[in-house]
Amino acid sequence: MKSGFVNIFGKPNAGKSTFLNAIIGEKLAIVSSKVQTTRHRIKGILTGDDYQIILSDTPGIIEPKYKLHEKMMHAVKNALEDADLALLIVDVNEDPAEANEIFEALKLKVPAIIVLNKIDKARAEKVEAVGAFFADKKYCKEIIAVSAITGLQHDQLVKVMLKYLPVGEPFYEGEEMTDLPTKFFVGEMVREKIFNLFKDEIPYHTTVVVKEFKEKSTLIKISADIVVQRDTQKGILLGEGGKMIKQLGTEARKDIEQFLGQKVFLELFVKVRPKWRDNDFMLKEYGYY
């Protein structure tokens, strides 16, 4: 049996989360068109008859500006330390030199596969040119071109990854798909809707904390706090006459119900916590370690 950790790295918005969801076959990581959507390391477990691959999505690599960013980059550092194989995701439509600068700085100690993503939006010559750029890099063992959004060659990808994984016992039992609790994914689904519905700084000044998760006979009762930094941000989230918070709740509830396969009663509260992104105590309370 082959078993190991395959960790995903790349610039913000390279398509890491979409790639993880596609290969696992389940939406584990939230996705938006905005950068820095992923804040945590999210593991997806792929188990076959003779293998177990633990894939980790990680936050996009950035220069930290406040303590929340530092926590995000700490998640990247942890993923570097336990990786057996690195998947380096590249948006094929962007300047490969920028991605290369980040990959060089990672100082990888394990084999790496370059995954050229978003090929559905690129000409064949562009894909070929970017592939040629990475082909002679020391860290690059193989290059794969994919479109995470239109579909992956799942079996082929698994075969390539298994070439670089050690023989060993599985780390997780049964049919587990992730090691994170359901409450985490519920909070992330609410946060995804904030990214999709609100502009400018609002998504980046916001986090979601699930306070209550009660399974009743006919439905699941969920209560969550949306934490912002300023009263003006609270007003924007609520909207005129509560219009926006109602839309946010309705859209999030639909996704949560689909994820859980049960009816959900969702309550959302907006709380103002000044400078929470730079407060170690609050960050820990909100699940950023």
Side-chain angles (χ1 to χ4, degrees), residues 22-267:
I23 198 162
I24 294 294
E26 184 73 49
K27 187 174 179 181
L28 296 181
I30 63 171
V31 175
S32 88
S33 59
K34 298 181 177 72
V35 299
Q36 294 174 39
T37 307
T38 302
R39 290 179 180 168
H40 299 267
R41 179 181 179 182
I42 299 170
K43 291 179 190 167
I45 303 162
L46 203 59
T47 304
D49 292 337
D50 57 356
Y51 66 84
Q52 186 175 83
I53 303 171
I54 301 101
L55 289 125
S56 287
D57 183 21
T58 62
I61 298 163
I62 53 171
E63 193 65 41
K65 292 180 180 175
Y66 37 83
K67 285 183 179 177
L68 173 61
H69 279 169
E70 290 173 11
K71 302 288 185 187
M72 289 160 62
M73 292 308 96
H74 186 65
V76 173
K77 183 174 178 286
N78 285 343
L80 281 169
E81 288 173 357
D82 68 20
D84 294 299
L85 172 67
L87 295 184
L88 307 180
I89 309 286
V90 176
D91 182 342
V92 78
N93 302 286
E94 294 190 355
D95 181 1
E98 291 181 11
N100 176 60
E101 193 175 327
I102 286 172
F103 300 153
E104 295 276 8
L106 290 175
K107 293 182 170 57
L108 290 164
K109 296 174 183 174
V110 295
I113 296 171
I114 293 287
V115 180
L116 304 180
N117 193 22
K118 305 188 184 182
I119 61 170
D120 54 303
K121 296 179 180 177
R123 290 184 176 181
E125 311 91 78
K126 175 67 171 172
V127 177
E128 194 175 321
V130 176
F133 174 87
F134 284 106
D136 63 350
K137 301 296 181 274
K138 287 183 181 178
Y139 54 77
C140 175
K141 292 292 182 185
E142 292 197 41
I143 298 172
I144 298 170
V146 303
S147 170
I149 204 161
T150 61
L152 304 173
Q153 290 181 296
H154 187 276
D155 292 345
Q156 183 60 30
L157 271 168
V158 169
K159 279 181 187 174
V160 173
M161 289 188 287
L162 289 177
K163 280 164 45 177
Y164 300 96
L165 294 187
V167 173
E169 292 300 311
F171 290 87
Y172 297 94
E173 295 294 327
E175 296 180 3
E176 287 181 87
M177 201 171 281
T178 183
D179 64 342
L180 289 165
T182 304
K183 277 174 68 172
F184 169 82
F185 294 104
V186 168
E188 286 288 273
M189 286 177 202
V190 176
R191 200 166 63 82
E192 181 181 54
K193 296 306 171 192
I194 296 169
F195 265 84
N196 292 341
L197 289 173
F198 296 92
K199 297 177 182 178
D200 304 324
E201 87 280 2
I202 294 293
Y204 302 104
H205 289 247
T206 306
T207 195
V208 177
V209 185
V210 176
K211 307 294 282 187
E212 182 183 32
F213 187 96
K214 282 188 180 174
E215 297 190 47
K216 302 191 174 234
S217 55
T218 54
L219 53 70
I220 298 172
K221 186 176 184 234
I222 299 169
S223 173
D225 289 346
I226 299 172
V227 178
V228 294
Q229 298 205 111
R230 296 193 289 269
D231 285 316
T232 51
Q233 294 164 349
K234 178 177 180 177
I236 293 168
L237 274 167
L238 292 173
E240 191 177 345
K243 180 184 174 184
M244 291 308 297
I245 194 75
K246 186 177 179 182
Q247 182 182 352
L248 171 60
T250 299
E251 292 191 18
R253 179 181 51 77
K254 287 177 183 174
D255 278 8
I256 295 166
E257 285 181 339
Q258 187 175 356
F259 182 74
L260 298 175
Q262 279 183 272
K263 282 283 183 188
V264 165
F265 175 75
L266 176 65
E267 280 186 306

Side-chain angles (χ1 to χ4, degrees), residues 6-20:
V6 177
N7 300 340
I8 304 168
F9 305 98
K11 285 178 61 183
N13 231 18
K16 298 181 297 298
S17 299
T18 305
F19 179 87
L20 175 74

